[in-house]
Amino acid sequence: LVAFVAVMLGAALFVMFMYASRAVKAEALAKSEAALDGMMQSIDNKLHEVEVAANNIHWRVEGAIDNPAALQQLTRKMLEENTSVVGCAIALDPIAWQGNGNQTMFCSYRGQDSIRVSDRFGDKPYTEQDWYVRPMVSCQREWSDPTIEPLRGGYPILGYSIPIRQNNRVVGIFVTAISLEWLSRMVEAARPFPSTHFALLTQDGDFIVHPDSTRLHSGNIYKQLAYHHDEASQQLMESMLKGESGYMSVSIYGTDCYVFYKPYRNTGWSIDIVSPKSEVFATYNRLQSFVVFIMVVSLLLLLLYCFQVIHWLMKPIRYLDLR
């Protein structure tokens, strides 16, 4: 009797847990989708703050284009009024621009203890850098891909570039830079669950947001994958770089995780959320353990009850046997 009941209960619980697992996974997908949307909004808010601050200074830059001292002062003012900004530069077209003598670069950056002035922005001529070349060609305001700024020992930054126009012609670029480490800290502080984390990846494979700050410095994601021959991780990165959306099960630092990913707006970037499986199925696992415990205890009680009933039914036979 107990064996029969155990088989029936086991079959019923197996079917129940199978459907429950699917329901939990579907709920996790929905929660992760909502978390990704919320995190995109959080990143948008941070970037929008920088855009608004840059736009407020930009119109003054175009008005002072013939005044080198004023241009330098405006880059400093940008940093003084916005603590999240780590660097600001005004780069004029060295070929088309004939004013200001030989000076075509005005730059201020946040040093360790003060705002400092420099005549360069980056580790190569500004006319070859992404934040200058792309908006000069497109004539549009845009965020550049991450780069390493060597002025303060080398740290990853992200620049917001605005074309400077004069007589309906683009004569330079006004760029405002933020630290990727600062952006990552702000984003991670707003994450919905303690054990989850987010990452924002460019189309070239560079991290804009990542909880591990060393990943912001290490450059292209392909260099990291070369040291980790994990087929699942490589497939995940390839899907993200292609701008696809979905989820995959991968092992990260020895922990089995679900990674949910999707394109970030129309920028070509990709955003993902990483959730350990132990967290995704935490409630389900607790329920499973609780139900199995109740089932085992119930079967033991049923077994004890059967022994008692059989013992009671066998009493007359034992009396006859004694006689």
Side-chain angles (χ1 to χ4, degrees):
L1 176 63
V2 174
F4 175 77
V5 172
V7 170
M8 296 302 295
L9 281 177
L13 289 177
F14 175 78
V15 174
M16 183 188 74
F17 286 137
M18 182 178 64
Y19 281 98
S21 176
R22 294 177 182 176
V24 169
K25 185 178 291 187
E27 183 182 4
L29 285 170
K31 285 185 177 180
S32 297
E33 184 78 15
L36 278 178
D37 291 338
M39 196 51 55
M40 275 199 286
Q41 187 61 49
S42 177
I43 295 173
D44 284 347
N45 291 340
K46 299 300 179 185
L47 298 183
H48 183 65
E49 291 176 8
V50 178
E51 292 173 2
V52 171
N55 292 336
N56 290 338
I57 297 289
H58 169 254
W59 69 270
R60 298 172 62 180
V61 171
E62 291 189 334
I65 196 69
D66 296 313
N67 189 339
L71 294 179
Q72 186 65 64
Q73 181 58 31
L74 286 173
T75 63
R76 181 183 183 90
K77 188 176 182 63
M78 184 69 191
L79 272 71
E80 291 175 341
E81 296 182 351
N82 303 275
T83 57
S84 59
V85 175
V86 296
C88 181
I90 298 171
L92 303 178
D93 186 347
I95 298 176
W97 182 250
Q98 301 298 324
N100 294 329
N102 295 324
Q103 187 175 7
T104 56
M105 164 61 77
F106 308 88
C107 175
S108 295
Y109 70 98
R110 198 175 300 280
Q112 298 293 343
D113 53 2
S114 62
I115 296 176
R116 302 179 183 179
V117 175
S118 177
D119 59 354
R120 61 192 179 95
F121 191 90
D123 54 0
K124 58 184 177 180
Y126 68 81
T127 53
E128 300 176 8
Q129 296 187 49
D130 181 68
W131 60 265
Y132 179 86
V133 175
R134 283 173 49 182
M136 284 292 288
V137 173
S138 66
C139 299
Q140 300 293 328
R141 307 180 183 202
E142 59 180 89
W143 286 93
S144 64
D145 286 342
T147 186
I148 300 297
E149 172 53 57
L151 294 178
R152 204 177 63 183
Y155 55 92
I157 61 172
L158 187 68
Y160 177 61
S161 302
I162 307 177
I164 303 172
R165 290 181 170 85
Q166 188 179 55
N167 299 325
N168 296 322
R169 182 180 62 164
V170 176
V171 296
I173 298 297
F174 174 62
V175 61
T176 302
I178 60 174
S179 168
L180 294 189
E181 294 180 1
W182 168 83
L183 181 61
S184 293
R185 287 196 302 270
M186 294 299 102
V187 170
E188 285 293 308
R191 60 184 176 178
F193 309 109
S195 56
T196 62
H197 67 263
F198 294 85
L200 185 61
L201 192 68
T202 70
Q203 202 167 17
D204 293 329
D206 296 318
F207 284 112
I208 297 175
V209 173
H210 198 281
D212 183 359
S213 60
T214 60
R215 294 293 185 91
L216 302 174
H217 294 264
S218 57
N220 200 285
I221 188 64
Y222 292 114
K223 297 179 181 178
Q224 298 180 27
L225 290 177
Y227 295 98
H228 303 283
H229 302 288
D230 184 352
E231 184 177 349
S233 297
Q234 292 183 358
Q235 185 179 351
L236 171 64
M237 289 298 105
E238 290 175 1
S239 297
M240 292 180 63
L241 293 174
K242 290 178 182 178
E244 300 174 353
S245 60
Y247 75 95
M248 288 187 62
S249 175
V250 297
S251 178
I252 301 177
Y253 301 124
T255 302
D256 292 332
C257 303
Y258 280 123
V259 180
F260 305 87
Y261 56 93
K262 65 188 301 184
Y264 183 84
R265 311 299 187 201
N266 57 351
T267 59
W269 300 345
S270 184
I271 187 172
D272 69 58
I273 176 175
V274 180
S275 299
K277 288 185 178 181
S278 58
E279 180 177 284
V280 172
F281 290 99
T283 303
Y284 169 79
N285 291 334
R286 285 195 298 269
L287 175 63
Q288 185 181 46
S289 300
F290 184 66
V291 171
V292 170
F293 174 76
I294 291 177
M295 185 186 76
V296 172
V297 171
S298 300
L299 289 174
L300 290 175
L301 291 175
L302 178 61
L303 183 62
L304 180 61
Y305 174 76
C306 289
F307 272 117
Q308 291 298 326
V309 170
I310 293 172
H311 179 74
W312 180 77
L313 292 175
M314 292 294 293
K315 275 186 178 182
I317 298 177
R318 285 199 297 271
Y319 288 150
L320 291 175
D321 183 58
L322 291 175
R323 294 180 179 181

